[in-house]
Amino acid sequence: MTTPMRAQYLELKQQYPDTLLLFRLGDFYETFDEDAEVLADVCEVTLTSRPVGQNQRVPLAGVPYHSVDSYLAKLMDSGIKVAIAEQVSEPGKGLVDRKITQVLTRGTLTSPDLLTARSNRLAAVHFAPDRLSAGIAASDVTEGSCQATQLQDSHPDELCARVIDELIRLEPSEVLLPAATTDRVPALAPALDRLDASVSELEPWIWAEPGATRRVLEHCRIARLDGFGLTNKPQAVAAVSALFHYVGEYQPAIAEHLNRVQTYETSGFMLLDEYTRLNLELVENLRTRQVEGSLLETLDHTRTPMGTRLLRDWLGRPLLDTDSINARLDAVEALFENGLALSDVQELLGRIGDLTRWVQRVVYGSAFPRDLGGIRDTLGLMPDLNRSLQEFGTAAAPEFLEPVPECAAALDLLQAALPDELPATLAQGGLIREGFRPELDDLKRRAQAARERLLAMEESERSATGLPGIKVGFNRVFGYYLEVPKAQSTRVPDTYIRKQTLVNAERYFTEELKHLETEILNSEERTAELEQQLFREVAQSLQAHAEELRGLARRLARLDVAAALAQAARDNRYVRPEMHDGFDIAIAQGRHPVVEATLSETRFVPNDLRMTEESAIQILTGPNMAGKSTYLRQAAVICLMAQMGSFVPAESARLGLVDRIFTRIGASDAIQRGLSTFMVEMIETAYILNHATRRSLLILDEIGRGTSTYDGLAIAWAILEFVHNAEGLGAKTLFATHFHELTDLADRLPKVQNRHVQVDDSGGSITFLHTIAEGAAGRSFGVHVGRMAGLPKAVHERAAEILGQLEESGAAVPDSLTDLIQAPAPDQTVQSTLFLEEHPALQALRQLDVNSLSPMEAMNRLYDLVRIAEEHDG
Ligand SMILES: Nc1ncnc2c1ncn2[C@@H]1O[C@H](COP(=O)(O)OP(=O)(O)O)[C@@H](O)[C@H]1O
Ligand SMILES: [Mg+2]
């Protein structure tokens, strides 16, 4: 026999078997059985047990209801779905009624306590059986948006890579997949890990036709898919359908309002693959994966949460046509030119909160008092904002700078209904402004009058009874009372009825007091009820203005982003890039926006970059730490900034549109990803060569470093030849390398040119000048560095000699060093030692395979040599 409560629990649990059920028991949310074990584990609370019938105990763990949010956050982060069963009847005799009032899944959260200001997306992915096409649907329920796309490719692996790139851009916190997808598409699993999204597998029938199409049509109450652009996109339909199914299952109140789909084509935007986003540190830095030190951080002068989200979106989807880029640039320029009006606009935007999410909670019928307050305060600022916008005129960029809708009707409603200050929750009272509803004011006045009469009783009772110690008091258990000190309590009149005895006093009530108390409590209760009812009515009437308000939120977000970019441009001296459809790039005195911001004392050294058909491929040589990687990334970042509509860090920039930016950074950075680094490099490079077009920008940094010299050199060489010669390729390519031999390519291939980063070694030490100059770097650089490092004369002289012999041999890839390098002349100082034994530094030097060393390794070896020499001498 189980207890009735156990039966109730099991019944509720059955409603959402795959969620963790929080079962409200007094001041706690309790969990049982396996749920208790999960809760104890994830939230680090004690696991105990509880009897649920004769001789039966089950595991139990609970959390206090008043701090449940912090535990919910932990459960959400762990990707656990949670159902909350509340007590819905007054506790009394027998079993309290309980109902599941909320279900939480990570991708469908709307509560401000559980969300960050970032987008929170739920995504669904469906692959066709041949894995040559896939659909992705994504929804941010806090914005009420749903987008879908269908991707196609000629090879399953490539399709999968594109799906992953798009998922990485969307950054969903929860992903829906048909069951067993990761078995069919193994490459997806590690990508989902990197995304840190919780994954829910849904049964195949949910994605299958004809049910999928029917669900979408019925859910959106439409007759045909054309309006959403979903015709002939079966994979996208499957994904949308599963997304609707899932939201409908767990969040029916939200699902009902999520009934529009926008399809988009990834071809409308510059594709940024996962590695490129990472390597260019667009939204997070490579080391800690935080926003600090990213391009986003440098540009983010937005003042509203929806603006911040939109800026992130712009960064992830640079545009591909000059007109729409220029439309954004026009807005940025207008704001840039008028600093005074810009700061007015930004100041006003700074006083606006998350309008999008406030409005969306109104739509879902789950608005908090301060959501409505926030909407009202925002609307109140719009006339000021429009006055500031007048400064810009509308000719420049109407989509950004024309007056925003002031939503006067919604504002009137909210101003009339809501008091200036609003409580955090509906339960707290003070939701409705005086004068909004006479009935409510009346109730409040009656309670107030009763309270005043009750307080007046203190005086009247004192004089009537002649007992000066009488006080009126209130506590939550006993209600109102008259308190009389013990010493005077023998003299109270008969009309006093004892209520409670304390050590020093007695507490009484009288008929009149009881009457007033009832009056107060009744009117307070009715006040609270009426206030909540009125508040809900106001929120509901506001729904009629939801579209207008959403439109306003979108306008404000766009304005915020344009203003942020204008502000970044002013702060950091950026210029408007000139965009064109040709091939050439001409950047005068370009800088890296993030590196420049991190250099506090030293000044960033600007550099030019000119790329034409004749100089499409540029090979950059120079020692480690000279600034090669920075220069390469800077070129990519400037192109990307321009195409997202931002000004750029340069004195001037004339930029041909690029369709894609590919970056591959050799070896060391890729190590964490687990694959052998050379394998990774080759996979990534293969991907580039298969996808780049003549209009792409290729950033290849030390490709081939992850393997032995000969392999690496050979492959680097072949890659450059391919980019140069392949039909339809000849893409703009910047190639940084430590393989000096590659500079020979400039003589053989007409579009290849050499550049090098200059260093000054004329003084006693090496100075990195960070300037880019024509031609290749000197080959003997390591030997120079050795001299600077204080290597014994004999060692660096011998090193120079070996180098000379290597160079004389003329072979880029010598067969054997022993044949090539002659023994040192007998008159070397090292040999004139008393012992015939060779100097250990020289021994070490003999074992050195110069060709297999990267500049950094060469430096390290030289330091070792110095140490050996010092140890030996001293
Ligand atoms: N143009 C520049 N002006 C000033 N400092 C620079 C510049 N380029 C690079 N640096 C500095 O030099 C460091 C090394 O640059 P990096 O590009 O990684 O060199 P490399 O790739 O040649 O080893 C950077 O971290 C940065 O601090
Ligand atoms: Mg580098």
Side-chain angles (χ1 to χ4, degrees):
M1 254 276 312
T2 52
T3 59
M5 189 154 79
R6 176 68 176 173
Q8 186 189 45
Y9 171 82
L10 291 173
E11 204 234 287
L12 287 169
K13 177 75 190 170
Q14 217 182 357
Q15 293 178 21
Y16 292 99
D18 62 341
T19 63
L20 184 141
L21 179 64
L22 293 178
F23 187 79
R24 181 74 179 267
L25 253 178
D27 284 345
F28 276 80
Y29 287 110
E30 302 289 9
T31 53
F32 302 98
D33 311 316
E34 280 110 66
D35 284 359
E37 279 153 27
V38 173
L39 185 82
D41 186 36
V42 174
C43 296
E44 295 170 9
V45 295
T46 323
L47 183 67
T48 58
S49 67
R50 181 189 170 100
V52 292
Q54 275 170 359
N55 306 326
Q56 202 196 341
R57 296 186 79 86
V58 295
L60 164 88
V63 295
Y65 91 98
H66 57 82
S67 56
V68 69
D69 276 346
S70 64
Y71 296 106
L72 287 176
K74 278 190 193 158
L75 291 165
M76 288 298 112
D77 280 349
S78 315
I80 295 165
K81 299 187 197 99
V82 177
I84 301 180
E86 293 289 358
Q87 302 174 174
V88 292
S89 68
E90 285 299 312
K93 275 187 285 164
L95 188 64
V96 180
D97 286 341
R98 289 188 177 81
K99 237 198 199 144
I100 293 184
T101 54
Q102 274 191 78
V103 181
L104 305 173
T105 87
R106 202 164 153 202
T108 59
L109 295 174
T110 54
S111 156
D113 296 326
L114 295 173
L115 287 166
T116 64
R118 287 257 306 271
S119 294
N120 187 46
R121 293 199 182 96
L122 169 69
V125 184
H126 187 259
F127 286 84
D130 60 7
R131 288 186 287 128
L132 295 178
S133 65
I136 302 178
S139 168
D140 184 338
V141 301
T142 68
E143 301 194 328
S145 59
C146 182
Q147 275 109 32
T149 190
Q150 180 160 321
L151 305 174
Q152 236 107 20
D153 213 306
S154 50
H155 192 280
D157 291 347
E158 310 215 333
L159 176 74
C160 182
R162 293 184 52 191
V163 168
I164 290 171
D165 290 340
E166 186 58 9
L167 278 178
I168 298 271
R169 183 188 74 75
L170 289 165
E171 304 179 303
S173 55
E174 189 172 358
V175 178
L176 310 177
L177 296 172
T181 301
T182 42
D183 298 338
R184 283 175 58 220
V185 192
L188 209 54
L192 291 170
D193 278 351
R194 291 200 293 280
L195 270 174
D196 192 27
S198 30
V199 177
S200 298
E201 298 202 329
L202 306 188
E203 291 172 49
W205 64 265
I206 296 168
W207 312 76
E209 288 303 350
T213 298
R214 193 169 346 107
R215 182 177 303 112
V216 174
L217 295 176
E218 281 172 10
H219 183 95
C220 301
R221 292 179 215 103
I222 50 170
R224 303 168 57 90
L225 291 172
D226 314 26
F228 292 159
L230 282 170
T231 344
N232 300 325
K233 295 199 173 84
Q235 310 315 322
V237 171
V240 171
S241 166
L243 193 140
F244 284 159
H245 171 87
Y246 186 81
V247 180
E249 185 100 336
Y250 292 103
Q251 308 285 10
I254 289 179
E256 193 189 326
H257 297 279
L258 207 63
N259 46 24
R260 244 179 305 172
V261 184
Q262 287 172 308
T263 44
Y264 63 98
E265 297 292 332
T266 47
S267 60
F269 302 95
M270 188 198 288
L271 286 176
L272 292 169
D273 56 86
E274 182 183 355
Y275 304 128
T276 298
R277 281 172 65 91
L278 260 178
N279 287 331
L280 295 183
E281 306 189 298
L282 296 190
V283 296
E284 59 187 29
N285 74 57
L286 265 172
R287 281 169 301 106
T288 66
R289 299 295 181 87
Q290 302 299 307
V291 71
E292 287 76 38
S294 68
L295 180 60
L296 177 63
E297 192 203 23
T298 307
L299 296 181
D300 191 0
H301 292 268
T302 57
R303 301 295 176 90
T304 70
M306 55 268 189
T308 316
R309 292 192 289 267
L310 186 63
L311 177 64
R312 219 182 159 89
D313 193 66
W314 281 24
L315 247 179
R317 296 205 281 183
L319 303 174
L320 292 179
D321 72 296
T322 37
D323 285 348
S324 37
I325 294 170
N326 278 325
R328 290 183 181 179
L329 286 171
D330 286 345
V332 176
E333 181 172 354
L335 288 153
F336 176 92
E337 293 292 342
N338 191 339
L340 224 55
L342 170 62
S343 63
D344 280 351
V345 166
Q346 286 208 300
E347 194 270 329
L348 286 164
L349 288 170
R351 289 155 61 190
I352 292 167
D354 207 333
L355 184 62
T356 310
R357 287 187 176 174
W358 294 332
V359 172
Q360 204 52 35
R361 279 196 290 270
V362 168
V363 170
Y364 296 146
S366 60
F368 292 93
R370 288 179 189 163
D371 293 343
L372 262 58
I375 296 173
R376 174 197 59 193
D377 297 345
T378 299
L379 295 182
L381 293 169
M382 295 305 101
D384 284 349
L385 182 67
N386 280 338
R387 261 189 297 283
S388 298
L389 287 176
Q390 271 172 12
E391 288 287 316
F392 301 104
T394 50
E399 292 154 57
F400 291 85
L401 298 174
E402 73 184 7
V404 300
E406 294 184 6
C407 307
L411 178 61
D412 286 347
L413 171 69
L414 294 172
Q415 276 178 338
L418 305 179
D420 293 345
E421 297 292 330
L422 283 152
T425 67
L426 263 73
Q428 279 162 292
L431 299 170
I432 298 294
R433 179 183 281 280
E434 204 182 315
F436 181 64
R437 186 64 62 87
E439 198 187 335
L440 179 69
D441 294 343
D442 216 45
L443 276 173
K444 286 185 175 169
R445 255 198 306 280
R446 272 174 37 207
Q448 187 54 25
R451 264 193 299 270
E452 278 164 18
R453 270 167 57 203
L454 219 144
L455 285 177
M457 270 184 82
E458 199 166 278
E459 272 308 304
S460 58
E461 288 299 306
R462 281 179 189 175
S463 56
T465 59
L467 301 177
I470 292 184
K471 272 189 271 180
V472 171
F474 174 81
N475 82 28
R476 282 170 46 111
V477 183
F478 292 99
Y480 287 94
Y481 52 77
L482 292 162
E483 189 174 294
V484 183
K486 268 269 158 64
Q488 298 169 19
S489 65
T490 50
R491 290 187 279 146
V492 298
D494 297 348
T495 48
Y496 277 39
I497 304 160
R498 199 195 322 263
K499 204 172 191 177
Q500 192 189 5
T501 303
L502 305 180
V503 184
N504 298 317
E506 295 285 348
R507 288 177 176 172
Y508 302 92
F509 67 94
T510 65
E511 281 304 316
E512 188 189 2
L513 184 111
K514 190 84 215 152
H515 170 77
L516 289 173
E517 180 180 75
T518 316
E519 171 98 15
I520 293 170
L521 294 181
N522 281 349
S523 0
E524 275 177 351
E525 191 175 314
R526 283 176 53 208
T527 303
E529 268 167 25
L530 184 58
E531 277 206 331
Q532 289 183 20
Q533 182 200 331
L534 289 174
F535 180 84
R536 290 206 182 89
E537 280 171 24
V538 172
Q540 199 157 17
S541 337
L542 200 60
Q543 289 184 359
H545 305 282
E547 258 332 292
E548 200 187 3
L549 291 169
R550 276 203 274 230
L552 173 63
R554 281 193 295 272
R555 282 289 317 276
L556 292 175
R558 280 221 303 275
L559 178 62
D560 194 17
V561 174
L565 294 176
Q567 189 60 45
R570 289 180 71 92
D571 288 355
N572 306 316
R573 298 170 299 114
Y574 298 164
V575 297
R576 177 174 180 153
E578 191 188 322
M579 309 308 294
H580 63 87
D581 292 319
F583 182 88
D584 297 359
I585 281 183
I587 299 171
Q589 300 289 286
R591 288 136 28 216
H592 191 298
V594 181
V595 177
E596 132 177 285
T598 55
L599 292 182
S600 48
E601 276 152 44
T602 39
R603 224 173 61 76
F604 190 91
V605 180
N607 276 299
D608 294 346
L609 171 65
R610 257 166 246 289
M611 303 186 96
T612 61
E613 298 271 10
E614 294 69 43
S615 57
I617 300 174
Q618 303 191 2
I619 296 175
L620 184 63
T621 41
N624 247 319
M625 293 302 286
K628 300 184 296 299
S629 298
T630 306
Y631 181 69
L632 260 54
R633 287 186 169 127
Q634 159 183 327
V637 167
I638 286 176
C639 289
L640 185 139
M641 285 171 77
Q643 289 186 225
M644 74 178 270
S646 169
F647 281 25
V648 296
E651 254 170 31
S652 71
R654 239 185 78 75
L655 306 172
L657 283 186
V658 302
D659 61 357
R660 283 185 79 161
I661 296 174
F662 293 94
T663 65
R664 288 303 174 270
I665 315 286
S668 64
D669 295 325
I671 287 169
Q672 318 93 311
R673 274 187 250 130
L675 290 168
S676 105
T677 56
F678 181 62
M679 189 63 185
V680 171
E681 256 183 64
M682 289 308 106
I683 292 172
E684 295 178 0
T685 310
Y687 181 82
I688 296 185
L689 299 182
N690 290 327
H691 293 85
T693 74
R694 202 180 76 92
R695 315 211 38 167
S696 307
L697 176 62
L698 272 52
I699 301 295
L700 303 174
D701 194 350
E702 312 245 14
I703 290 287
R705 191 209 234 165
T707 184
S708 81
T709 310
Y710 302 155
D711 282 353
L713 177 56
I715 282 171
W717 186 289
I719 288 170
L720 282 171
E721 272 184 354
F722 182 85
V723 173
H724 188 276
N725 297 335
E727 178 81 23
L729 200 49
K732 289 183 275 286
T733 304
L734 289 170
F735 195 109
T737 185
H738 61 275
F739 295 125
H740 197 271
E741 292 81 356
L742 283 178
T743 56
D744 290 355
L745 274 171
D747 301 331
R748 305 191 184 194
L749 302 173
K751 293 178 179 180
V752 174
Q753 295 195 353
N754 287 323
R755 302 281 183 270
H756 70 282
V757 198
Q758 292 181 316
V759 287
D760 177 10
D761 60 355
S762 62
S765 62
I766 302 267
T767 312
F768 293 114
L769 299 175
H770 303 304
T771 41
I772 311 293
E774 306 221 333
R779 179 170 195 159
S780 56
F781 197 79
V783 177
H784 278 286
V785 176
R787 179 156 57 82
M788 296 307 132
L791 209 62
K793 191 157 175 273
V795 176
H796 74 72
E797 279 182 3
R798 174 63 178 150
E801 193 179 300
I802 295 173
L803 187 69
Q805 288 163 5
L806 281 172
E807 272 172 349
E808 236 168 70
S809 81
V813 184
D815 286 333
S816 151
L817 281 183
T818 37
D819 296 349
L820 214 72
I821 298 171
Q822 293 136 34
D827 64 344
Q828 294 280 302
T829 38
V830 271
Q831 293 255 315
S832 69
T833 167
L834 280 177
F835 305 98
L836 280 175
E837 197 185 312
E838 225 175 26
H839 192 287
L842 195 58
Q843 283 176 358
L845 198 54
R846 273 192 209 292
Q847 285 158 14
L848 217 58
D849 177 5
V850 178
N851 271 36
S852 75
L853 297 182
S854 73
M856 194 60 201
E857 284 164 345
M859 274 292 279
N860 289 335
R861 290 301 170 78
L862 283 169
Y863 281 117
D864 290 345
L865 286 170
V866 174
R867 210 196 57 243
I868 293 169
E870 277 172 355
E871 278 167 7
H872 189 74
D873 294 345

